[in-house]
Amino acid sequence: MSDYVKNYQSASYDVATDTSTVFAVLMRKVYVWMTLALAVSGLVAYYVAGNESIMYTIFANRAVFWILVIAEFGLVIGLTAAINKLSFPVAAIMFLVYSIINGVLLSSIFVVYEIGSIGTTFLVTAGTFAAMAVIGTITKKDLTKMGSILLMALIGIIIATIVNIFLKNSTMDIVISALGVLIFTGLTAYDAQKIKLMAESADAVDNTTQKLAVLGALSLYLDFINLFLYLLRFLGKARN
């Protein structure tokens, strides 16, 4: 009987260890993919900003600009909607292509803002993001309800932003920016918790869970980029 108990305990320990390993590997993959995408976007943005001919081609030509914007949305929608049908390599390539296109479009910030203020804002964003990601990962509170409210608020500020393009109201722009910071700060914690729950429920590191890791990295990447852009409106110093 004692041998049976020992064997059972040993088996239980092995399963727990395996589960713990799977969780750790998937969480690491999520943040590695996210960091890689941010690095790609940053390098591409800096390179494009330093090339006048590329900048002119993109931002002086409405057709090229809108093709890139539509491609961005298409990649996000396609990756999210078809994740179950895609292979892991295809999902990873789509994510990296998205980060490249986003880097191209983000190149304009190097023209508008001083590079020192961009660096400062990036560090503030990184610190805020890290803190909220840790909170989302370790908290015992279910953030589902908060996430639903924040997603509805996000739709609201998107509509408000479109309206303000025509109104050009500076006060409304400040309010939208402040709400954007709050929304994406909260969404970081919400998405971090979702990813943690996904990793905890995984039995193995396989093609399916690696695709979900890429999808999780995309969610956090979007949180980081949007938080950075909204903070840049407050902390960024415009070029003379």
Side-chain angles (χ1 to χ4, degrees), residues 35-197:
T35 303
L36 176 62
L38 286 174
V40 169
S41 293
L43 290 172
V44 170
Y46 187 75
Y47 173 77
V48 172
N51 191 310
E52 291 184 9
S53 61
I54 297 177
M55 288 290 287
Y56 181 82
T57 300
I58 296 166
F59 296 102
N61 189 322
R62 286 181 174 270
V64 173
F65 175 79
W66 283 109
I67 286 172
L68 290 173
V69 171
I70 293 170
E72 263 200 322
F73 280 105
L75 283 167
V76 171
I77 294 171
L79 184 56
T80 304
I83 191 67
N84 293 325
K85 298 178 182 179
L86 300 173
S87 66
F88 167 64
V90 171
I93 290 171
M94 288 177 68
F95 182 33
L96 290 177
V97 170
Y98 173 80
S99 68
I100 291 171
I101 295 175
N102 200 37
V104 171
L105 294 174
L106 285 173
S107 61
S108 61
I109 67 173
F110 289 98
V111 177
V112 177
Y113 298 101
E114 291 185 358
I115 192 166
S117 66
I118 292 174
T120 300
T121 305
F122 181 87
L123 291 176
V124 172
T125 304
T128 305
F129 177 90
M132 296 310 297
V134 169
I135 290 171
T137 302
I138 67 176
T139 185
K140 301 297 183 181
K141 183 177 180 180
D142 185 359
L143 302 179
T144 303
K145 186 175 181 180
M146 183 190 79
S148 300
I149 294 171
L150 290 173
L151 288 172
M152 288 188 289
L154 177 58
I155 294 172
I157 66 166
I158 290 172
I159 295 172
T161 300
I162 294 172
V163 171
N164 203 40
I165 290 174
F166 302 99
L167 297 178
K168 301 184 187 303
N169 187 307
S170 58
T171 302
M172 188 174 179
D173 187 59
I174 293 173
V175 172
I176 290 171
S177 299
L179 288 173
V181 171
L182 293 174
I183 288 170
F184 283 102
T185 297
L187 282 176
T188 298
Y190 168 68
D191 286 331
Q193 186 178 77
K194 277 201 315 181
I195 292 166
K196 181 195 74 170
L197 295 174

